[in-house]
Amino acid sequence: MASDNMKMRAQLKGDAASVGYTEVKVLMSHPMETGRKKDDFDRLIPAHFVQLVTATLNGKIVLEAQWGTGISKNPYLTFRLTGAKIGDTIAVTWHDNLGETATQNIIVT
Amino acid sequence: MQRRDFIRLISGAFALAFIAPMNAFAAIWNKAAFETTKLNEAEKNLEINDEKPSEHILITLPDKAENGAIVQIEVKSNIPNTETISILVEKNPTPLIAHFKFSNGTEPFVVTRIKMAETSDVKVVVKAGNQYFTNAKGVVVLENGCG
């Protein structure tokens, strides 16, 4: 799947002298259907939701999330890394219950 | 072997071959914990036990949510060696919302947006070492967000 369905930003907070952290913000484009909602014809809309989200810093896993149907549509996520430097690569991948997946990379600025 | 059995066997093997790779990730997903309608069942399936109330889990949530479809939650754990953060909404049809696992220096901090079916407590459980800690905050929901 195209990577344009995920928007990401990774910014190093605090100056180089102090101990800062890198704040990563992710916005995914996904319907997050619970499987309990009905369409206009009173038919159930099948469940379609992100189940796993993995984040890596220079290829090393830093965050693994399991999600249920209770995450809002077009999921939003912020997390903070210590030890990331400007120029490092952060990758976020999601997998949903229908086997769809997307990955996006971002450089720390 | 009868022909009929042979066909059944072959088609079964084919089905498995196609389904197996699709479910490789589903294997990591804690189906029992996420699909249960009971809060205590969800916790049991996450192997949460003997959790202790802790003020060191900071939960930021609105007191009142106009629309239960989007409720922003921020969780920060000040408990040393926090490994996981689980978010559960007591009165949602399926209470377990998310389970985050932190590694390699990631701060035990997360912001996300969740759905809330009705006014309820939002419970956060933190795992640190072999211990579990919990805190909760109530949110008044004006409009159901669990279609």
Side-chain angles (χ1 to χ4, degrees), chain B residues 5-22:
Chain B
D5 291 336
F6 177 75
I7 290 169
R8 205 173 286 155
L9 193 78
I10 290 292
S11 55
F14 264 109
L16 265 182
F18 280 109
I19 292 166
M22 247 184 78

Side-chain angles (χ1 to χ4, degrees), chain A residues 33-53:
Chain A
E33 289 292 350
T34 60
R36 282 186 297 273
K37 203 162 78 182
K38 284 182 176 166
D39 66 11
D40 294 343
F41 304 101
D42 215 34
R43 293 176 304 209
L44 276 177
I45 301 169
H48 186 200
F49 61 102
V50 172
Q51 290 183 312
L52 294 171
V53 179

Side-chain angles (χ1 to χ4, degrees), chain A residues 21 32 34 37 49 51-52 61-72 76-78 80-82 95, chain B residues 25 28-30 34 69-70 97-107 109-115 147:
Chain A
Y21 59 86
M32 296 302 286
T34 60
K37 203 162 78 182
F49 61 102
Q51 290 183 312
L52 294 171
I61 286 183
V62 287
L63 178 71
E64 289 165 281
Q66 296 181 46
W67 285 357
T69 55
I71 294 285
S72 301
Y76 174 79
L77 175 68
T78 300
R80 290 174 178 173
L81 304 177
T82 52
H95 296 274
Chain B
F25 295 104
I28 308 165
W29 193 65
N30 194 329
F34 278 100
I70 306 170
I97 303 283
H99 179 75
F100 296 93
K101 187 178 166 197
F102 306 92
S103 47
N104 293 313
T106 308
E107 287 188 20
F109 167 92
V110 70
V111 183
T112 191
R113 291 170 188 155
I114 65 173
K115 295 173 194 165

